[in-house]
Amino acid sequence: TIDIGNDSGDAVEISGSGSIDIGAESTADARGNALMWKNPFASGQQQYGFAVGVWVGISNSSVKIHDGVTIESPVSDPSVNSAVSLSAESTNSVGGSARVAQNFEGQAYGDVPETPNNPNNRALAIGVAYANTTATVEIKEGASVLAPAGDVSITSNGTENVSVMAGTRSYQNGQVGIALGVEIAESE
């Protein structure tokens, strides 16, 4: 967050002899996996398998120009780049996979011995991803942004990538498998 000035309207002046760039940028990356697989070393037969994954990404960037603030690139020579740029950019990447894998009967994996099949397997996998992305540029009444010989550019960009995969696998037999994936994205 870039906050220039205050709510009391005190005078603040930002001036330059060329371009003025004021920008805020934020990135959130919340990715992962929740995996449950049948434990071949457990005594007896495991009937239940659960995997729950929750991923939260919050990415906020903002530029606030308060009352009484003047931002000016006062160069009047058109051969000099005297642009003023205000920008906010937020990127948010959230998600993953929640999986349950059971019933590997007759299959050995590395140091894990062959395991018996259990036709009573029940599996539940839940994946939830939440992304909150904010990118704002706010110029309050009474503020000035000037570039007499150039352009004033005001941009805000928010990018979200939210994905969830939830699944259950009972490779041989099994009673039930339930998978639920939820994606929630909020942006401003």
Side-chain angles (χ1 to χ4, degrees):
T1 297
I2 297 173
D3 204 349
I4 301 173
N6 56 46
D7 287 331
S8 63
D10 293 338
V12 174
E13 186 172 319
I14 297 174
S15 181
S17 59
S19 292
I20 298 173
D21 295 314
I22 299 172
E25 188 175 318
S26 67
T27 300
D29 189 4
R31 297 235 166 242
N33 295 302
L35 173 63
M36 183 279 171
W37 62 288
K38 182 177 179 177
N39 181 357
F41 300 111
S43 60
Q45 290 190 332
Q46 244 179 325
Q47 291 187 9
Y48 301 96
F50 302 99
V52 178
V54 178
W55 303 275
V56 177
I58 298 173
S59 179
N60 297 319
S61 66
S62 66
V63 174
K64 286 185 182 178
I65 311 299
H66 291 271
D67 176 29
V69 173
T70 299
I71 299 172
E72 181 176 13
S73 181
V75 178
S76 58
D77 182 352
S79 66
V80 176
N81 185 1
S82 62
V84 175
S85 172
L86 305 175
S87 64
E89 185 167 336
S90 289
T91 303
N92 211 340
S93 182
V94 182
S97 65
R99 297 180 300 145
V100 175
Q102 297 173 308
N103 276 354
F104 296 98
E105 180 182 18
Q107 299 177 25
Y109 182 78
D111 293 335
V112 178
E114 294 180 10
T115 58
N117 189 10
N118 182 354
N120 295 316
N121 276 348
R122 297 173 188 106
L124 173 66
I126 299 173
V128 179
Y130 171 76
N132 182 302
T133 306
T134 304
T136 59
V137 175
E138 180 180 358
I139 301 173
K140 300 244 179 167
E141 184 176 343
S144 299
V145 179
L146 307 166
D151 295 325
V152 173
S153 170
I154 301 169
T155 60
S156 63
N157 294 308
T159 304
E160 290 179 331
N161 178 6
V162 184
S163 63
V164 171
M165 191 286 288
T168 65
R169 291 187 179 126
S170 191
Y171 288 94
Q172 296 182 27
N173 296 323
Q175 204 168 56
V176 66
I178 299 171
L180 173 66
V182 179
E183 298 173 2
I184 302 166
E186 295 180 319
S187 60
E188 179 181 338

